[in-house]
Amino acid sequence: MTTTGNDTKAVRNGRDVTSEIAYLTRSLKAPALRDSVARLADRARSEGWTHEEYLAACLQREVAARDSHGAEGRIRAARFPSRKSLEDFDFDHQRSVKRETISHLGTLDFVVGKENVIFLGPPGTGKTHLATGLGIRACQAGHRVAFATAAQWVTRLAEAHANGRLADELTRLSRIPLIIVDEIGYIPFEPEAANLFFQFISGRYEHASVIVTSNKPFGRWGEVFGDDTVAAAIIDRLVHHAEVISLKGDSYRMRGRDLGRVPTASTGE
Ligand code: ADP
Ligand code: MG
């Protein structure tokens, strides 16, 4: 009978096919694909998927696994000070920023468009949290990201300069699609540092995105950079294609507390 013949063939092939898939997925270095083949085949049979639908579902699992692995590596490489997500941000507490504005930035159109984002506001209002949340989104979407404070960036640039590698370093940095410069304004810049920082920002202009945070309004960046002209040039480069978001209010850390009390511990502002 034909059915018996087919069954025999299916059993024989079933054995061959299982080991063949194990071999092929090993060659492809596709463990998620290997793990999904049998499980999804059961679903495909019970739900009547076409062959193409089944193939797409298997491949999709492998792609998703690779994307998330890549994201984890990019998040580690970015050196965020802590993991903060846009989902964890409490917009009911921080009323001065619209949820829709951040959701829109979260689509990462600004990275693709090589635009900047600037968060201004007093300490504790959520600037670093939002910058990090956007950075993590970018990592998840496949973009390389690098995070450091303004002081750390300047130290890095000064080292490269001292070693005669500044041009190389600026070129290397200009290839990273999103750089986050946290805490402009906490430490004033020496003239040499301000000049390096200007070159750094200029190198990214219309080329790659920057997110910056600052506790000082633009009007006080002259003090930060020690020179009004340099500050104006930096601001000009940054704001030309940028979303500027001003955060207001008391520190989130002090919410619900007696503000007369001296905080016992602070985790690095
Ligand atoms: P800033 O960089 O403006 O000084 P942070 O982003 O570091 O402030 O915020 C201080 C702390 O409070 C962080 O732990 C941050 O996650 C938290 N925080 C601030 N604002 C919010 C908010 N609206 N919702 C949730 N957490 C917040
Ligand atoms: Mg901060």
Side-chain angles (χ1 to χ4, degrees), residues 136-209:
I136 286 181
R137 275 281 173 89
C139 291
Q140 288 165 340
H143 304 290
R144 272 199 306 149
V145 178
F147 183 110
T149 63
Q152 290 167 334
W153 282 119
V154 161
T155 303
R156 232 177 267 183
L157 294 169
E159 266 170 32
H161 187 46
N163 298 330
R165 294 186 296 100
L166 182 63
D168 288 350
E169 182 68 358
L170 290 173
T171 305
R172 194 182 69 76
L173 292 173
S174 73
R175 296 202 178 108
I176 300 177
L178 177 59
I179 277 183
I180 301 174
V181 181
D182 199 26
E183 302 191 345
I184 290 181
Y186 285 85
I187 300 170
F189 285 59
E190 298 296 325
E192 148 105 356
N195 181 36
L196 287 171
F197 192 77
F198 172 69
Q199 290 186 55
F200 171 48
I201 295 300
S202 298
R204 301 185 63 74
Y205 182 63
E206 295 189 332
H207 212 79
S209 298

Side-chain angles (χ1 to χ4, degrees), residues 84 88-90 94 122-129 252-253 269:
K84 298 284 176 182
D88 290 341
F89 195 77
D90 180 355
Q94 180 46 271
T125 48
K127 302 181 298 294
T128 302
H129 185 134
Y252 186 78
R253 294 200 185 93
E269 207 77 79

Side-chain angles (χ1 to χ4, degrees), residues 23-59:
Y23 164 74
L24 292 169
T25 51
R26 212 168 31 247
S27 300
L28 283 173
K29 299 188 171 49
L33 178 61
R34 179 198 61 216
D35 296 344
S36 57
V37 162
R39 200 165 31 81
L40 289 175
D42 288 341
R43 266 189 72 187
R45 275 188 282 270
S46 68
E47 295 175 21
W49 295 356
T50 64
H51 294 92
E52 288 84 355
E53 283 169 339
Y54 169 66
L55 176 63
C58 289
L59 294 175

